[in-house]
Amino acid sequence: MPAPIRVGLSTASCYPLGTSAAFRIAAELGYDGVEVMVWNEAASQDPEFLRDLVERWGVPVLSVHAPTLLLTQRVMGNEPWGKVDRSVALARDVGASTVVLHPPFRWQKEYATGFVEGVAQREREHPQIRLAVENMFPWRARGREVQAYLPHWDLRRNHYSHTTLDLSHTATSGSDALALADELGDRLTHIHLADGLGSYKDEHLVPGRGNQPCAELLQHLSRTGFSGDVVVEVGTRRLSDEDRLIDLAEALAFARLHLAIGAGEASAP
């Protein structure tokens, strides 16, 4: 019988609280681990500090999110591949098996030109680390769509050995999350669990509060022997500490319930 799918908490889900608080919350609520979003907080970049948090709270680092967001362009330096390489080294140093990264922006033309092969090369050099490229979405301005990412925001346009499926991003892009998961097949190795209503703002709602097939996807993962991790990545920055805990507990319960339903269906005669 396959091992249960782990459910992790992204430190981004606790923003504006810091990395230390995210580990504490993950432990208190019973998450299986943490995804570290690397940003300008020194703790998110310090392997020794992160290992101390793992030991203190008893929750491992499942994955590292490289600083490839628009707001983290100067974190870990300005050179794109240098940022990826430092994220891989951080993941290795803290025992994580996955590095999540976004495709390049259009203005990063040299980085974008060699992106697909560059990802593959680093996976060959570090076979214990999966570089899971995340699905994104077109930007919208004044009623027009802007293709902000190269080679493309749609994972199906390029071949990556490992990918991350974000359900807030499928809402924003208008993509069919279940069809995308089915088409990616065993290249789908990481999930960012969230929800959305299709707003251009990339909402990152608690699963079950939008229109994405979050429940169906989780059940599908359990039925089909998914071997990656599910990481809750929802927005709580406007909430009180109490309401943040309530939302993160609800997201964890949602994930556990529907993963269990899928596992039960898989084991039924």
Side-chain angles (χ1 to χ4, degrees):
M1 185 174 182
I5 296 171
R6 298 183 298 185
V7 182
L9 177 66
S10 170
T11 59
S13 296
C14 301
Y15 183 83
L17 301 183
T19 302
S20 297
F23 272 81
R24 172 180 56 79
I25 290 169
E28 290 175 353
L29 295 180
Y31 279 85
D32 297 317
V34 165
E35 175 170 300
V36 174
M37 173 68 78
V38 177
W39 61 307
N40 58 8
E41 183 196 22
S44 70
Q45 306 174 41
D46 185 337
E48 184 175 356
F49 187 84
L50 293 173
R51 289 194 297 266
D52 287 344
L53 290 176
V54 170
E55 184 174 353
R56 177 179 180 184
W57 295 109
V59 288
V61 178
L62 306 180
S63 44
V64 168
H65 196 308
T68 51
L69 286 70
L70 186 62
L71 296 177
T72 58
Q73 289 299 290
R74 296 186 181 276
V75 174
M76 285 186 167
N78 295 322
E79 202 282 308
W81 284 120
K83 294 154 71 78
V84 173
D85 291 336
R86 282 186 279 276
S87 298
V88 170
L90 179 63
R92 185 189 62 233
D93 289 346
V94 299
S97 59
T98 301
V99 170
V100 178
L101 65 161
H102 292 180
F105 295 108
R106 290 190 70 88
W107 56 85
Q108 298 174 306
K109 292 184 179 180
E110 183 177 350
Y111 177 46
T113 299
F115 183 70
V116 177
E117 175 53 32
V119 168
Q121 175 188 335
R122 282 157 176 81
E123 289 196 316
R124 291 191 295 268
E125 294 171 351
H126 306 280
Q128 75 278 25
I129 304 292
R130 298 177 294 193
L131 273 67
V133 182
E134 186 171 356
N135 64 304
M136 297 306 292
F137 46 84
W139 291 1
R140 297 187 179 96
R142 298 179 181 178
R144 298 178 60 188
E145 287 192 355
V146 178
Q147 300 300 331
Y149 299 97
L150 290 175
H152 205 275
W153 57 264
D154 189 337
L155 295 176
R156 293 168 293 190
R157 298 293 187 94
N158 296 95
H159 185 88
Y160 304 107
S161 296
H162 301 101
T163 59
T164 297
L165 176 57
D166 184 306
L167 284 104
S168 179
H169 295 176
T170 57
T172 302
S173 66
S175 303
D176 183 329
L178 288 174
L180 180 54
D182 187 61
E183 189 168 342
L184 290 172
D186 60 8
R187 295 192 294 129
L188 178 59
T189 50
H190 199 70
I191 303 293
H192 279 169
L193 181 60
D195 211 334
L197 292 166
S199 167
Y200 68 90
K201 295 181 179 180
D202 185 20
E203 298 157 293
H204 284 276
L205 304 177
V206 171
R209 298 184 187 177
N211 59 21
Q212 293 303 286
C214 298
E216 294 87 345
L217 178 68
L218 291 168
Q219 294 169 26
H220 168 78
L221 295 174
S222 284
R223 284 196 303 267
T224 56
F226 177 72
S227 60
D229 297 320
V230 171
V231 170
V232 169
E233 191 183 75
V234 299
T236 66
R237 68 186 181 92
R238 299 181 184 275
L239 302 182
S240 67
D241 289 347
E242 180 180 0
D243 287 342
R244 177 180 294 106
L245 289 175
I246 290 170
D247 274 11
L248 296 179
E250 179 182 328
L252 176 60
F254 184 101
R256 296 250 194 261
L257 170 63
H258 291 289
L259 289 172
I261 290 172
E265 292 172 349
S267 62

